[in-house]
Amino acid sequence: MKIGLAQITLENAAFPVRFGLSGEVDMSRLVVTFLTGLVLSLSAGAGWPVLGDEYWVFYGTYTRGTSKGIYVSRFNAEEGTLSEPVLAAEAQNPSFLALHPQKPLLYAVGELWEMSGRRTGSVSAFAVDVRSGRLSLINQQPSGGSGPCHVSVDATGRFVLVANYGGGSVAVLPVSPDGGLGPTVCLIKQEGKSVHPTRQTSPHAHQIGFNPTGKLVVVPDLGLDQVLLFDWDGTRGQLTPHKPPFVQVPPGSGPRHFAFHPSGKVLYVLNELTTTVSIFACDDGGPSRLLQSVSALPADFTGQNTAAEIAVHPTGRFVYTSNRGHDSVAVFAVSDGGKRLELKINVSTQGKTPRFIGVDPTGRYLLAANQDTNNVVIFKIDSETGIPTPTGKQVSVGAPVCLVFYPVTD
């Protein structure tokens, strides 16, 4: 079915989406793209999906080598191509990034152990030029602890949340009307340890984010072998321990990152130290029961490896994790409504130390960011098997750690 359109405009709480269409449009393809984006955005707790094939890709990096800060490329999801990255803004160790859900704003941690003589890292606010992808610094605040390694924004766009790895703490900072950040309004520091003799002698918050309802904040703590749970007060920007206050992974696992199945009924926790995915059933939006832990490595692998990133395909049919050491993407098939994973294959990331993997908003491509070979590789995802195949296309970025997609506005 085809229909002639002049322009489509979607206005919603997430952010306005506008794109022009001329002539005839393949309506069946548009519907597929819409539904795919809808599943993705709902699984992330966002509003309406972004329609279109052009995105800015912002890269968070470590700046101890050739990188000078945050870089940006233009990604064409129709052709599976990335333009050569250019410097969007200078920053020191802007490892992880997060986008505002409503406004052209980007937030970045400064993964530092000291700032202005204080034992803390930083969080920076940037305005996004939606036509060029360039960033302008609004302001910077202390993160409330050393080594901040993850950042997220609540659904209203009023607060930024930070996980401090070195400080073993989580912090909440308010967003001002101009998009800048105010001083910390909530800071919670954990205590304790687990069984690993060097990696788990103290708490290490490694990610902070929301469940699909936006009412629960989830924090994998590598040092405690716990996935911490907090009730979210979006009016005051306050975190209070949930009941129960955490769920436990097997000792020595080292929970690093998490992702929810699009249904919201299953939580996947990627364990860095054991390279496993722990699967939790979710009751009333919160994880409660450990169902399974499955390895992300081939059975015959005997080398050293740590897990880094986890991503769920927008269809909910596939889960991907990255392996540093084996240098691969693990591809899992999903069954039983998301409650069971089966490792199908490991695919080389065409580089060393894949710190990050991300599925593009259309669900057609996977991008692998290899930290130690300074390259981002594009893979085409088979819609039936979920297996990513390298397209032969890649770009160079110094020590890439994270990437996020933002719709292009021409």
Side-chain angles (χ1 to χ4, degrees), residues 73-284:
S73 286
R74 186 161 174 153
F75 178 67
N76 185 310
E78 176 67 26
E79 301 174 358
T81 57
L82 279 168
S83 66
E84 283 300 314
V86 297
L87 184 64
E90 290 194 15
Q92 191 173 2
N93 280 356
S95 59
F96 263 78
L97 315 174
L99 295 167
H100 193 281
Q102 299 146 6
K103 300 176 182 179
L105 299 166
L106 180 145
Y107 299 94
V109 298
E111 194 169 326
L112 311 170
W113 294 84
E114 186 176 292
M115 175 185 174
S116 302
R118 297 172 57 187
R119 189 72 171 169
T120 181
S122 67
V123 193
S124 298
F126 295 90
V128 179
D129 184 329
V130 296
R131 296 188 181 277
S132 70
R134 300 301 176 99
L135 303 173
S136 300
L137 179 66
I138 301 172
N139 77 332
Q140 185 180 80
Q141 291 283 357
S143 68
S146 60
C149 61
H150 197 268
V151 60
S152 63
V153 188
D154 80 312
T156 69
R158 297 177 57 209
F159 296 97
V160 166
L161 291 78
V162 184
N164 293 299
Y165 180 88
S169 63
V170 295
V172 181
L173 296 84
V175 176
S176 60
D178 69 351
L181 294 168
T184 298
V185 294
C186 179
L187 179 65
I188 298 177
K189 183 171 173 48
Q190 303 300 319
E191 300 291 341
K193 60 182 180 178
S194 193
V195 300
H196 195 284
T198 58
R199 297 294 307 278
Q200 295 184 314
T201 59
S202 62
H204 295 300
H206 218 311
Q207 183 187 11
I208 188 165
F210 293 85
N211 75 333
T213 70
K215 298 178 180 179
L216 188 71
V217 171
V218 181
V219 179
D221 192 299
L222 183 147
L224 300 179
D225 278 330
Q226 295 173 350
V227 180
L228 307 174
L229 306 173
F230 298 94
D231 293 324
W232 172 242
D233 180 345
T235 301
R236 301 184 302 121
Q238 296 297 304
L239 298 168
T240 55
H242 183 66
K243 295 181 180 180
F246 61 85
V247 289
Q248 194 86 37
V249 298
S253 295
R256 176 186 173 93
H257 281 185
F258 72 88
F260 281 89
H261 187 268
S263 68
K265 297 180 179 180
V266 181
L267 173 70
Y268 305 113
V269 177
L270 180 64
N271 299 306
E272 176 175 334
L273 303 182
T274 55
T275 315
T276 55
V277 180
S278 291
I279 306 166
F280 289 89
C282 294
D283 301 324
D284 297 325

